[in-house]
Amino acid sequence: MEHVFVTGATGFVGQRLLGALAQEVDGFSSHVRLRVLTRIPHPDYESVVCDLQSDNVPDDALNGVDAVFHLAGYAHDLHAENKVENRYRAVNVDATVRLAELAVASGVKQFVFVSSVKAGGPTVLGQCSSEKDQGAPEGIYGRTKREAEIQLLDIGRKSGMNVSIVRPSLVYGPDVKGNLCMMMSGIEKGWFPPLPKVKNRRSMIHVDDLVRVLLLVDQDERANGEIFIATDGNPYSSREIYDAMCHVLKKPVPKWSVPKLLFDIIGLMSPRLQYKVDKLLGDECYSSDKLQSLGFKAQRSLREMNETAF
């Protein structure tokens, strides 16, 4: 019986990962024993109660554990970065390193870390960035994720524990949070306007496919010491995302769109608005060729964003 430890188990991805691990999926038996790290006890699984922002993981938390999936992280704080940098660093770097060191001391064989494409730095206009295109990460979130990656790989090399890192692109799926949730809600309620048909490219991945990636890199020896970008292999324009959401909501796709010129004018009003326009209509394209070389192939597309297998 394999003993698996999961952090971030109550999050958007973590819940699906637990569902997959509890089933007979991709090489994992339904007899996997699960232990989770949470702030409050989980009703269904053995729990280690701990707040990574302020607590140290108990020394015996990983006793008998074979594999760790570390999904917990700190992101999307609306405060100024300089006011919350210590929180990002405490969770994304310090707690991650302590957990990995405890894993080594506890004899854990495999450590899978969920990072972010932000750790690889900004994309280049007109290109889909790969793991080789490592630039300086923008923002404290990307910087702390990159710092954690570097230290984890070093721990893996020195200890012999297998360490694999996954950088998900934008994750979609049932009950998604954040900007995608707001966009879908706006379309459903009729206040989010039809986007212009610009030819930008944005990489995404369904939450179920991301779970399959995590299971794959845990099982494949070739993933040891490697970083993998995870996408569904189909870059989408912002208008294609809008149209797919209309399809999911069973709403007719409007035959008109807001002119791109209007967004350009809005962006000129302030740097903050320009940033929002760039996030909405800009490029964020990534290549998952390296992951596909392990045999991964996405099973979901954006028009199946409300479907789930786990």
Side-chain angles (χ1 to χ4, degrees):
M1 178 181 290
E2 184 165 14
H3 198 167
V4 177
F5 185 85
V6 180
T7 75
T10 59
F12 175 50
V13 180
Q15 292 181 64
R16 297 309 197 289
L17 176 60
L18 289 183
L21 289 169
Q23 301 176 31
E24 193 168 342
V25 176
D26 290 348
F28 280 87
S29 164
S30 59
H31 300 294
V32 165
R33 181 180 175 188
L34 291 171
R35 185 185 300 168
V36 300
L37 185 145
T38 60
R39 295 179 184 176
I40 58 175
H42 196 287
D44 301 318
Y45 302 106
E46 179 184 358
S47 302
V48 174
V49 178
C50 177
D51 184 345
L52 289 179
Q53 185 174 319
S54 56
D55 302 330
N56 288 327
V57 179
D59 291 341
D60 61 352
L62 301 181
N63 286 355
V65 168
D66 299 297
V68 171
F69 290 89
H70 183 36
L71 281 66
Y74 191 80
H76 308 308
D77 197 302
L78 298 179
H79 296 86
E81 285 190 351
N82 61 347
K83 295 183 179 180
V84 292
E85 181 171 354
N86 61 324
R87 298 181 193 171
Y88 280 97
R89 195 162 301 282
V91 177
N92 294 350
V93 182
D94 299 341
T96 297
V97 171
R98 285 198 303 269
L99 184 65
E101 291 173 342
L102 181 59
V104 171
S106 304
V108 171
K109 301 171 185 176
Q110 179 71 41
F111 193 101
V112 178
F113 176 54
V114 176
S115 182
S116 167
V117 288
K118 299 299 182 185
T123 56
V124 178
L125 183 64
Q127 297 182 18
C128 290
S129 297
S130 73
E131 295 83 357
K132 297 179 181 179
D133 301 315
Q134 179 63 51
E138 291 182 342
I140 187 62
Y141 176 66
R143 291 197 300 271
T144 52
K145 283 292 189 179
R146 180 56 180 159
E147 288 178 33
E149 289 181 355
I150 292 170
Q151 295 198 50
L152 285 178
L153 292 173
D154 186 56
I155 290 171
R157 283 190 296 267
K158 291 178 178 177
S159 68
M161 179 177 69
N162 285 6
V163 172
S164 302
I165 295 170
V166 176
R167 292 177 176 174
S169 54
L170 185 61
V171 184
Y172 61 89
D175 305 317
V176 68
K177 309 297 182 184
N179 291 335
L180 288 178
C181 177
M182 183 177 67
M183 182 176 177
M184 178 167 278
S185 176
I187 293 172
E188 184 174 27
K189 295 176 181 177
W191 59 260
F192 198 100
L195 297 175
K197 295 183 179 180
V198 295
K199 296 182 179 180
N200 66 322
R201 295 188 296 172
R202 306 186 69 85
S203 293
M204 307 175 73
I205 187 168
H206 191 285
V207 63
D208 287 353
D209 283 323
L210 177 55
V211 166
R212 293 185 180 99
V213 171
L214 299 179
L215 300 181
L216 173 63
V217 300
D218 175 79
Q219 294 288 293
D220 198 316
E221 284 288 336
R222 293 173 295 173
N224 179 32
E226 299 290 342
I227 297 173
F228 297 92
I229 292 173
T231 82
D232 66 9
N234 298 299
Y236 304 92
S237 71
S238 297
R239 179 56 191 246
E240 287 173 330
I241 297 171
Y242 178 93
D243 290 353
M245 288 184 172
C246 289
H247 172 80
V248 169
L249 294 167
K250 296 181 171 54
K251 294 179 70 72
V253 177
K255 296 181 180 179
W256 62 280
S257 62
V258 177
K260 174 66 163 53
L261 178 61
L262 180 58
F263 286 95
D264 293 337
I265 294 172
I266 292 173
L268 293 173
M269 294 179 181
S270 74
R272 181 179 177 83
L273 288 174
Q274 184 61 60
Y275 173 80
K276 291 183 177 295
V277 170
D278 290 342
K279 290 294 291 182
L280 185 62
L281 300 178
D283 272 5
E284 281 194 20
C285 187
Y286 300 92
S287 168
S288 55
D289 288 351
K290 182 177 178 181
L291 186 61
Q292 290 169 12
S293 72
L294 297 186
F296 172 73
K297 184 177 181 181
Q299 298 181 19
R300 298 286 187 188
S301 69
L302 191 57
R303 289 199 168 203
E304 300 170 288
M305 68 183 307
N306 270 4
E307 297 181 26
T308 185
F310 309 128

